[in-house]
Amino acid sequence: KQWYQRRVAITAGAFGNEYLPCHIDLPYYTQPPSTYFFLCLKNECEGGDSLWVDSFAILDKLRTERPDYFEILCNTDVVFRAYSPGLNNAHVVGSYPTVELTQTGDLYRTRDLYFVRDNYMMIKDTDQDTRARWWEAYSYFRRQIDDPKNQLIRKLDSQEMVIIDNWRVMHGRLKFNVDKNESEKTRLMEVAYGDWNHLQSRILHQN
């Protein structure tokens, strides 16, 4: 998938030029792709630095300092919805907790993407007390994710590629300039998804 970002205002979210908070891609899938390949073909506009944050490091700290918040994020299902009428007629819905654990209690996967969180339901539980406690816990978690002190911030160079764990490392972008003085400049990115098993197989085959 290729993202061609120029002066014209494209759509909201990843395809625009505004600040894009850190997130995990495709959280509405039963199993989101675990590997994310991000290739920078051109990055000529002013701004647009990439952001990365280790959600597991944030959650490990949260588990120690606010175990009540951690438990809520593990046990409350969030409703994610992707709807593209007229584009490809896709309508994908899934309900999963923000934090998923292994059977032994280790961190396994994070799910969070603000612009596909169902605006009406938000979470699956309609009990007002549960909704209020989830929002309090989630807001606390998001403040840690959005804190620049917890982020790696770097502007990618042309032909530079980043590979991240899409179950753990949240990614985003700072706003970039699209005024008339930069109308000839472009920001062109290409992305692909994969699975860690396939990447591991390639590495083992080469060795």
Side-chain angles (χ1 to χ4, degrees):
K1 181 168 61 175
Q2 195 172 80
W3 295 347
Y4 188 47
Q5 300 171 318
R6 297 194 61 181
R7 184 175 64 84
V8 294
I10 309 179
T11 58
F15 298 93
N17 72 298
E18 296 297 326
Y19 164 63
L20 181 64
C22 288
H23 59 279
I24 296 292
D25 273 16
L26 309 178
Y28 37 80
Y29 280 7
T30 302
Q31 178 162 304
S34 55
T35 315
Y36 182 86
F37 298 82
F38 192 85
L39 173 63
C40 174
L41 297 176
K42 289 185 178 181
N43 203 4
E44 301 169 342
C45 298
E46 179 183 351
D49 295 32
S50 294
L51 312 172
W52 300 279
V53 60
D54 183 356
S55 70
F56 282 16
I58 301 295
L59 290 167
D60 278 333
K61 186 177 180 181
L62 182 67
R63 190 180 218 169
T64 300
E65 296 181 351
R66 292 301 305 257
D68 54 332
Y69 285 173
F70 184 83
E71 183 178 356
I72 292 170
L73 295 177
C74 290
N75 295 315
T76 307
D77 281 358
V78 179
V79 182
F80 299 103
R81 184 184 301 273
Y83 183 39
S84 303
L87 180 61
N88 53 15
N89 295 319
H91 193 170
V92 186
V93 183
S95 300
Y96 310 96
T98 304
V99 182
E100 296 178 71
L101 305 177
T102 66
Q103 291 183 343
T104 56
D106 294 325
L107 292 168
Y108 181 64
R109 180 164 49 208
T110 305
R111 295 179 188 257
D112 188 33
L113 178 52
Y114 73 99
F115 57 80
V116 299
R117 200 170 55 229
D118 190 287
N119 290 330
Y120 177 70
M121 291 190 67
M122 192 71 75
I123 66 173
K124 204 169 184 180
D125 198 315
T126 56
D127 174 73
Q128 289 301 314
D129 181 61
T130 301
R131 296 173 73 86
R133 289 188 297 110
W134 175 82
W135 181 251
E136 182 181 342
Y138 175 74
S139 297
Y140 185 92
F141 168 68
R142 279 306 316 187
R143 284 195 295 272
Q144 313 311 309
I145 294 295
D146 295 330
D147 188 340
K149 293 185 298 184
N150 296 324
Q151 298 174 343
L152 173 63
I153 305 174
R154 185 175 182 277
K155 184 169 183 175
L156 294 177
D157 296 323
S158 176
Q159 303 305 311
E160 190 171 17
M161 185 171 71
V162 175
I163 305 173
I164 63 173
D165 182 343
N166 187 54
W167 292 359
R168 173 173 180 163
V169 179
M170 303 175 77
H171 63 280
R173 183 202 63 230
L174 296 180
K175 179 179 180 178
F176 61 90
N177 193 1
V178 291
D179 63 29
K180 294 182 180 179
N181 295 328
E182 297 209 345
S183 60
E184 299 304 317
K185 296 183 179 180
T186 61
R187 188 177 191 275
L188 182 60
M189 305 292 168
E190 197 163 74
V191 303
Y193 302 104
D195 189 274
W196 279 120
N197 296 113
H198 299 150
L199 186 60
Q200 182 186 52
S201 174
R202 179 62 62 89
I203 294 172
L204 292 174
H205 178 74
Q206 291 178 342
N207 291 336

